[in-house]
Amino acid sequence: MAAAAAALPSQFKSLQHHLRTAQEHDKRDPVVAYYCRLYAVQTGMKIDSKTPECRKFLLKLMDQLETLKKQLGDCESITQEIVGSAHVENYALKMFLYADNEDRSGRFHKNMIKSFYTASLLIDTLSVFGELSEENVQHRKYARWKATYIHNCLKNGETPQAGPIGLEGDDYDNESEEAGLFSLPSKGSPPSSSAYNPSNMPTTNYTGIQIPPGAHAPANTPAEVPHSTGVSSNPIIQPSPQNIPAVDPSLYSAKPHGDLLLTPEDFTRAQKYCKYAGSALQYEDVGTAVQNLQKALKLLTTGRE
């Protein structure tokens, strides 16, 4: 990927951070790396697929995708879009939750900024599966704005305001993405070894942003940060003990009501709960998996959530 990055056409400048995120995840999470590159290909085709340099770059990127697809074999996150979508969405939300917890606790540092910004890039990537939900659009806007706001405060020697504060319209600085969003001086940056406590994770009040209750992400580490960014790649979150909810006894013998008529929307919601459960199991988050499976089963047997 390094060679391809060096030859990035100027027309594709807006994709450089998605491609860097793909490179960062080649070993850590190849599924995330795959969809970041797929997003770059699809978006690049829309930007310019005719100019020789752009066409050459896109063909090289497609070759990388094919190679990665063969390496992943029969991975369901690649062969089944609904599983892949859940994988990337939960990964992005996990990073968002980590960064927001650090922000609300007043711990401002490079890893937190990196997590906010990478979460926004991964939400971009979700568009390969279809139109983004309103919740994801809001999370992306908030995460990208927060990363820019905190970066600018620290760069100017100011103390950022912790927690959700009103976005002033769409006034966040896109140019900072190109001006070294993660090039803050290390002097005075707080350590990033604070423990993750899921009980402190907020679910609402992002100035109107609401996290879907079924999309809770497990407490794993955020994306590994490469040395080239100047950000420490030491682990910054400790896994938390499992908090497995009690299973509703009535679900053990649950059967669909004889006159139950499920709508297409019901099936879609049930699928979503199942994909969240499957993605949670990839991170060994039993509590979230059980919770979502119970919701799916209740919906399919009663028609109610």
Side-chain angles (χ1 to χ4, degrees):
M1 184 61 197
L8 181 71
S10 60
Q11 295 93 319
F12 295 159
K13 188 177 181 181
S14 63
L15 301 176
Q16 64 179 328
H17 298 287
H18 301 86
L19 291 172
R20 186 175 68 173
T21 299
Q23 186 178 7
E24 293 168 7
H25 285 79
D26 276 330
K27 293 182 179 180
R28 185 176 183 85
D29 193 319
V31 171
V32 169
Y34 176 86
Y35 284 113
C36 284
R37 290 195 176 98
L38 181 60
Y39 170 82
V41 168
Q42 291 184 357
T43 306
M45 292 288 288
K46 297 175 184 177
I47 295 173
D48 187 345
S49 61
K50 297 181 180 180
T51 303
E53 61 174 342
C54 291
R55 186 173 182 82
K56 180 180 179 180
F57 182 85
L58 290 172
L59 289 174
K60 183 179 294 186
L61 206 52
M62 290 177 187
D63 289 341
Q64 290 178 341
L65 279 174
E66 285 302 314
T67 299
L68 187 54
K69 193 171 184 178
K70 290 178 181 178
Q71 291 174 350
L72 293 173
D74 296 328
C75 174
E76 288 189 346
S77 292
I78 301 299
T79 59
Q80 298 184 35
E81 283 195 356
I82 193 169
V83 180
S85 176
H87 182 100
V88 177
E89 186 174 18
N90 273 345
Y91 195 97
L93 185 55
K94 172 182 63 177
M95 299 186 71
F96 181 95
L97 290 173
Y98 160 75
D100 183 74
N101 185 51
E102 293 293 280
D103 175 36
R104 288 172 182 252
S105 300
R107 294 187 290 265
F108 306 109
H109 49 84
K110 297 176 185 178
N111 279 354
M112 179 259 277
I113 296 173
K114 177 75 173 179
S115 291
F116 261 138
Y117 188 64
T118 303
S120 76
L121 295 175
L122 294 181
I123 293 174
D124 285 340
T125 300
L126 289 173
S127 64
V128 304
F129 304 106
E131 186 176 356
L132 295 180
S133 68
E134 181 60 27
E135 290 86 357
N136 280 332
V137 170
Q138 292 299 318
H139 282 117
R140 178 179 61 182
K141 178 179 178 180
Y142 183 84
R144 193 162 296 177
W145 174 80
K146 257 294 185 177
T148 303
Y149 164 72
I150 297 170
H151 165 265
N152 288 338
C153 284
L154 296 185
K155 187 173 81 169
N156 296 327
E158 302 170 357
T159 301
Q161 182 175 334
I165 56 180
L167 279 70
E168 297 177 1
D170 293 329
D171 186 22
Y172 56 84
D173 184 10
N174 280 316
E175 291 302 316
S176 66
E177 298 176 19
E178 317 302 337
L181 187 59
F182 312 116
S183 59
L184 291 170
S186 59
K187 183 179 179 181
S189 295
S192 54
S193 59
S194 53
Y196 175 102
N197 185 349
S199 65
N200 293 334
M201 284 291 96
T203 56
T204 58
N205 196 29
Y206 294 99
T207 59
I209 300 173
Q210 183 172 2
I211 295 178
H216 171 68
N220 290 40
T221 58
E224 181 177 355
V225 181
H227 294 295
S228 61
T229 65
V231 181
S232 169
S233 59
N234 293 330
I236 52 183
I237 301 177
Q238 300 298 325
S240 62
Q242 295 287 355
N243 183 20
I244 303 176
V247 178
D248 183 350
S250 66
L251 295 178
Y252 285 119
S253 58
K255 295 181 180 179
H257 294 175
D259 57 349
L260 179 64
L261 293 176
L262 296 174
T263 66
E265 290 75 18
D266 291 331
F267 286 111
T268 299
R269 287 199 298 273
Q271 279 186 319
K272 179 173 289 190
Y273 287 133
C274 289
K275 77 176 183 179
Y276 283 141
S279 183
L281 289 175
Q282 291 181 344
Y283 295 102
E284 301 180 2
D285 185 0
V286 179
T288 298
V290 170
Q291 184 181 46
N292 283 284
L293 288 173
Q294 289 191 81
K295 290 180 179 179
L297 187 56
K298 182 178 179 180
L299 179 60
L300 291 173
T301 55
T302 68
R304 299 189 303 274
E305 294 188 70

